Amino acid sequence: MAKAKSSYVCQDCGAIHSKWMGRCDACGAWNSLGEEAGAESAPKGLGSKRGKKINFVGLEGVEKDPPRRVANMPEFDRVVGGGLVPGSAVLVGGDPGIGKSTLLMQVTASLANGSKTVYISGEEAIAQLRLRARRLGLDKAPVSLAAATNVRDIIATLDTPNMVDVVVIDSIQTMYLDNLESAPGTVSQVRASAQELIRLAKRRGFALLLVGHVTKEGTIAGPRVLEHMVDTVLHFEGERSHQFRILRSVKNRFGPADEIGVFEMSDAGLVEVDNPSALFLGDRDGDVSGAAVFAGIEGTRPVLVEIQALVAPSALAAPRRAVIGWDSGRLAMVMAVLDTRCGLALGPLDVYLNVAGGLKISEPAADLAVAAALLSSETGEAIEGATVVFGEIGLSGEIRPVSRVDARLKEAAKLGFTRAIVPRNRSAKGASLSEHGIDVTEVAHLRELPDAILPKARTHKSLA
Ligand code: TYD
Ligand code: MG
């Protein structure tokens, strides 16, 4: 008997290779190839069989806006674009233990008033799910529960007209098709299972919610194609040691992307936070010196983070420079520009820089926020609480424009900030203007930064 042929499949892009390689030559990812039995490659050509002709239609037609299924959880409904669209597929990704199952259990239970909802878990047993429902006080909700992993069985059950309105699959990595040889969680299985489930959702018109695991790089495990296959990709993020969680739409065919919903994890599940700024600002210790809030963009997403700096007299011949979450070379550059162009000599001092929350920032747009934090720490004067700062600093001290100013300001406004220090870009004079309800101050040179953030510091010795 011939030995079953196995291939090496890139777990990032799904490309199939006949032998192992350190680097996938299709997408360039390192160390992403995994062995899978019976991975099938696409046929070489169409063959001689002729296909049917397809019909073309005009752009105009009578398509009604689909009626959305509203969960009556405003934070969730807003992120999905105003409710779940029948026949659509939503992928919810997030770190383990962040609360995906809890969120979806709450959403299904809430939707169950009025819609037929099904929750299928491949990770937990019925007893565990019931225990969680009881803890959340949702055990009376008319949700149909099942523990299953075989996609063929799931499809056989759900392939009936008007049987369900909303289906949750927790998680797509535990599902498998019995006609594929590879193990659950591999690219082939994840892709094929998702494809079958999404096709059924489109045919039967139910909203499909898929839970997806996240790799250590923060992307949804399995092929990137999974993100292309679904209509909406949501990320559920937050730090496990903190109470707050953010649900963020990364892609949405039925609503705006970059929308966020904020929740707080309590002992009775996730509680919606309708005033997120209070939550985030609550974490900050009022107006302390050395802290600046940076309005950044992470991937496609706007994120606000606090940058903390501490400048202290040094006992060492070579003063200490400690940086967490940012590039130390970039810090040296910002310090050199502050020194030569603004007369702020930090050379003989210890400098500590920390990006709060453990986030790592790579954007040059953080330069100005770092400079603001350093200035504030050195002068001992706090930046007024509700201010965000962003802008790239050039070597001559000029502040360069950055991308997506609007998205940054929108996020800042959403989170309750009222002032922004931004690069001079639109108005020639750098006048104060107001956008999204935010008081915007434009600066063209680093020299203008102290005046913009620290009105009192002008009298300070080092800024004379
Ligand atoms: P879970 O939804 O199981 O996470 P995921 O599906 O993303 O892996 O959430 C697990 C965590 O949430 C667990 O650490 C306990 C915590 N939790 C609460 O704090 N309160 C609650 O009411 C529930 C149900 C969970
Ligand atoms: Mg879970």
Side-chain angles (χ1 to χ4, degrees):
M1 203 178 95
K3 191 165 162 278
K5 199 171 168 312
S6 62
S7 338
Y8 296 86
V9 181
C10 172
Q11 307 291 313
D12 276 1
C13 71
I16 298 167
H17 305 268
S18 58
K19 60 180 198 317
W20 191 84
M21 286 185 274
R23 181 170 191 244
C24 169
D25 54 15
C27 69
W30 286 97
N31 217 4
S32 65
L33 264 53
E35 186 172 1
E36 285 184 26
E40 264 183 72
S41 55
K44 284 286 177 295
L46 284 175
S48 57
K49 194 164 157 251
R50 218 186 145 93
K52 285 202 295 282
K53 289 222 171 72
I54 55 168
N55 292 322
F56 295 100
V57 294
L59 280 176
E60 206 182 26
V62 273
E63 306 293 339
K64 284 201 304 289
D65 258 358
R68 292 177 182 254
R69 307 223 167 259
V70 179
N72 286 320
M73 294 174 65
E75 291 295 305
F76 177 82
D77 290 333
R78 188 159 36 83
V79 173
V80 293
L84 293 168
V85 176
S88 72
V90 179
L91 181 64
V92 183
D95 286 332
I98 206 75
K100 301 181 293 296
S101 305
T102 308
L103 174 73
L104 289 182
M105 170 82 72
Q106 287 181 251
V107 168
T108 359
S110 190
L111 280 164
N113 311 311
S115 311
K116 286 165 276 181
T117 60
V118 166
Y119 189 105
I120 299 172
S121 178
E123 304 201 327
E124 288 158 294
I126 296 289
Q128 273 174 296
L129 295 167
R130 285 186 168 154
L131 216 61
R132 172 179 296 135
R134 177 131 40 93
R135 248 180 87 181
L136 299 171
L138 300 172
D139 42 348
K140 298 284 184 294
V143 176
S144 308
L145 206 60
T149 50
N150 189 332
V151 175
R152 190 186 297 279
D153 298 347
I154 294 173
I155 288 189
T157 315
L158 300 180
D159 200 359
T160 323
N162 300 322
M163 183 182 158
V164 281
D165 301 319
V166 178
V167 174
V168 172
I169 302 285
D170 189 359
S171 64
I172 189 65
Q173 275 85 8
T174 54
M175 298 294 141
Y176 74 97
L177 274 170
D178 49 18
N179 52 350
L180 292 184
E181 277 178 51
S182 42
T186 53
V187 172
S188 331
Q189 283 288 7
V190 168
R191 184 168 47 190
S193 304
Q195 210 155 32
E196 291 299 330
L197 290 165
I198 292 168
R199 197 177 298 155
L200 183 71
K202 297 252 182 294
R203 190 162 69 230
R204 293 300 177 195
F206 60 78
L208 178 66
L209 290 153
L210 301 171
V211 172
H213 290 174
V214 158
T215 62
K216 59 181 185 304
E217 286 85 31
T219 54
I220 291 165
R224 282 316 291 273
V225 284
L226 198 54
E227 296 191 15
H228 295 293
M229 282 156 65
V230 296
D231 300 301
T232 303
V233 179
L234 306 179
H235 279 217
F236 202 37
E237 14 175 87
E239 276 205 66
R240 243 174 304 171
S241 51
H242 284 94
Q243 295 293 285
F244 63 85
R245 304 279 184 270
I246 297 180
L247 185 68
R248 199 182 285 275
S249 69
V250 180
K251 156 184 173 177
N252 197 348
R253 287 185 186 148
F254 300 110
D258 285 347
E259 197 65 71
I260 66 166
V262 183
F263 299 84
E264 197 173 349
M265 182 61 97
S266 74
D267 48 5
L270 292 156
V271 183
E272 295 182 276
V273 178
D274 36 344
N275 184 7
S277 56
L279 188 76
F280 287 102
L281 294 175
D283 252 15
R284 308 179 65 220
D285 295 336
D287 290 354
V288 290
S289 65
V293 177
F294 167 54
I297 302 279
E298 288 296 315
T300 59
R301 305 167 288 173
V303 185
L304 296 198
V305 272
E306 187 180 74
I307 293 183
Q308 303 164 342
L310 178 66
V311 175
S314 181
L316 304 169
R320 198 185 277 273
R321 305 275 179 261
V323 191
I324 301 172
W326 209 48
D327 180 30
S328 52
R330 199 91 201 165
L331 172 67
M333 192 275 282
V334 171
M335 282 166 51
V337 178
L338 275 171
D339 189 350
T340 20
R341 312 286 173 196
C342 305
L344 182 78
L346 298 170
L349 304 168
D350 278 345
V351 176
Y352 302 88
L353 191 82
N354 179 32
V355 177
L359 198 72
K360 193 158 170 45
I361 303 178
S362 51
E363 253 196 307
D367 292 353
L368 198 60
V370 170
L374 288 170
L375 268 169
S376 163
S377 175
E378 208 274 342
T379 56
E381 191 188 335
I383 301 170
E384 179 219 308
T387 306
V388 296
V389 185
F390 57 86
E392 182 179 345
I393 299 176
L395 287 183
S396 64
E398 86 275 16
I399 310 298
R400 300 229 191 97
V402 298
S403 64
R404 306 200 45 205
V405 173
D406 224 48
R408 295 171 204 263
L409 292 178
K410 218 163 115 192
E411 179 88 345
K414 212 183 290 172
L415 296 181
F417 286 81
T418 53
R419 267 190 87 211
I421 314 293
V422 311
R424 183 168 306 167
N425 192 13
R426 289 145 297 183
S427 66
K429 310 184 300 297
S432 278
L433 38 137
S434 176
E435 266 178 62
H436 303 292
I438 288 193
D439 211 4
V440 177
T441 308
E442 299 193 330
V443 290
H445 194 276
L446 195 52
R447 233 183 281 117
E448 300 164 25
L449 184 65
D451 278 356
I453 54 165
L454 313 166
K456 276 184 262 159
R458 265 172 294 180
T459 54
H460 192 272
K461 55 176 170 36
S462 65
L463 295 168

